[in-house]
């Protein structure tokens, strides 16, 4: 899975302020600082890599199992995180599926949605002045600005689809969406773990629709939006088939829990 950049912190009890190299999937642990910084690092990891297991959190942040449980329990008690069992396709080996943790809508809302009221008022005024066509055009131009540097996949080159999906995820991460990609069946999914405009998009779904259309145009294939944060889901998830044209695609029928 391609991972979006996240903030790290330094040694627990060492008193260092957080630093911001990207969290990687490597086994090397990242050491974490004061309790407040540690909680922020856990929240950032839940945002950008959730759903994620407690052992994975401990390994990435250099925390003991007890330390991870303490932070997760506090976030769950505050209604800012929740747990669920891993999907069957994610479970490996014997035993009960590991629990995975992710932020709730309340947890994401604490990260801030700048200028929501102003943006919503501006969009409503735009619709009054220019009608629905103006909203659609605004949404299209907005997403084109985000992906302006990405070249569309050339015809008959399915091997380029995954690389272009990675480029799209990188562009959306730079725009504040904490996006990642992951292979699923005969395809790949783009997961946007945060949406800085979700409160506005819940009133103006044209913003989400323009993203889906842009993905399809860049990837040269039909894409399926499985879930959106604006509709209350844990992430905006888009499935992209990359199977050869003569092979059926096994698209999932549900978003990640």
């Amino acid at each position: 899975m391609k991972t979006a950049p996240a903030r790290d912190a330094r040694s627990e009890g060492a008193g260092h302020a957080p630093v911001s190299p990207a969290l990687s999937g490597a086994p090397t642990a990242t050491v974490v600082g004061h309790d407040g910084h540690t909680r922020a690092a856990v929240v950032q990891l839940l945002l950008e890599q959730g759903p994620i297991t407690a052992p994975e959190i401990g390994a990435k942040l250099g925390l003991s199992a007890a330390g991870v449980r303490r932070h997760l329990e506090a976030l769950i008690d505050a209604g800012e995180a929740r747990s669920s069992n891993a999907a069957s396709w994610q479970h490996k080996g014997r035993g009960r599926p590991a629990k995975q943790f992710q932020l709730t809508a309340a947890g994401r809302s604490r990260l801030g949605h700048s200028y929501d009221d102003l943006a919503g008022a501006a969009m409503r005024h735009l619709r009054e002045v220019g009608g629905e066509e103006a909203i659609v055009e605004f949404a299209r131009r907005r997403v084109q600005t985000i992906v302006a540097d990405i070249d569309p996949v050339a015809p008959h080159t399915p091997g380029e689809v995954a690389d272009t999906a990675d480029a799209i995820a990188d562009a959306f991460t730079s725009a504040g969406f904490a996006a990642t990609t992951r292979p699923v069946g005969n395809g790949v999914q783009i997961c946007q773990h945060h949406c800085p405009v979700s409160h506005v998009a819940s009133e103006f779904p044209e913003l989400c629709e323009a993203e889906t259309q842009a993905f399809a145009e860049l990837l040269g294939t039909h894409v399926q939006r499985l879930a959106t944060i604006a509709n209350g889901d844990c992430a905006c998830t888009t499935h992209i088939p990359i199977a050869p044209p003569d092979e059926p695609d096994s698209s999932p029928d549900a978003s990640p829990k």
Side-chain angles (χ1 to χ4, degrees), residues 16-110:
H16 294 290
V19 295
S20 55
L23 288 173
S24 69
T28 303
T30 302
V31 190
V32 181
H34 278 290
D35 198 59
H37 295 325
T38 305
R39 183 73 49 79
V42 171
V43 168
Q44 191 74 14
L45 198 58
L46 292 174
L47 168 68
E48 298 189 351
Q49 298 191 29
I52 186 172
T53 66
E56 289 171 337
I57 294 173
K60 290 178 180 294
L61 299 182
L63 294 174
S64 66
V68 173
R69 284 197 303 272
R70 179 166 59 85
H71 288 291
L72 289 175
E73 288 170 1
L75 290 168
I76 290 172
D77 289 343
E80 296 175 15
R82 65 184 179 188
S83 65
S84 60
N85 289 328
S88 58
W89 61 269
Q90 296 172 306
H91 181 54
K92 297 180 180 179
R94 299 179 179 178
R96 299 175 61 185
K99 283 192 174 295
Q100 294 183 317
F101 299 86
Q102 61 194 34
L103 291 183
T104 62
R108 285 194 302 270
S109 69
R110 290 179 62 85

Side-chain angles (χ1 to χ4, degrees), residues 197-223:
V197 297
S198 62
H199 290 183
V200 180
S202 63
E203 182 179 353
F204 297 94
E206 293 89 349
L207 296 173
C208 301
E209 293 163 5
E211 290 179 9
T212 305
Q213 182 179 352
F215 291 175
E217 292 173 353
L218 287 171
L219 296 163
T221 185
H222 169 74
V223 303

Side-chain angles (χ1 to χ4, degrees), residues 131-186:
E132 296 299 330
E133 295 81 4
I135 296 295
V136 171
E137 178 62 16
F138 173 83
R140 186 189 68 80
R141 291 191 181 190
R142 169 186 162 272
V143 72
Q144 288 300 326
T145 298
I146 296 174
V147 300
D149 294 331
I150 302 175
D151 294 326
V153 172
H156 312 299
T157 56
E160 296 182 8
V161 171
D163 290 339
T164 301
D166 287 345
I168 291 172
D170 289 342
F172 271 78
T173 293
S174 296
F177 288 79
T180 62
T181 61
R182 64 180 183 184
V184 177
N186 291 330

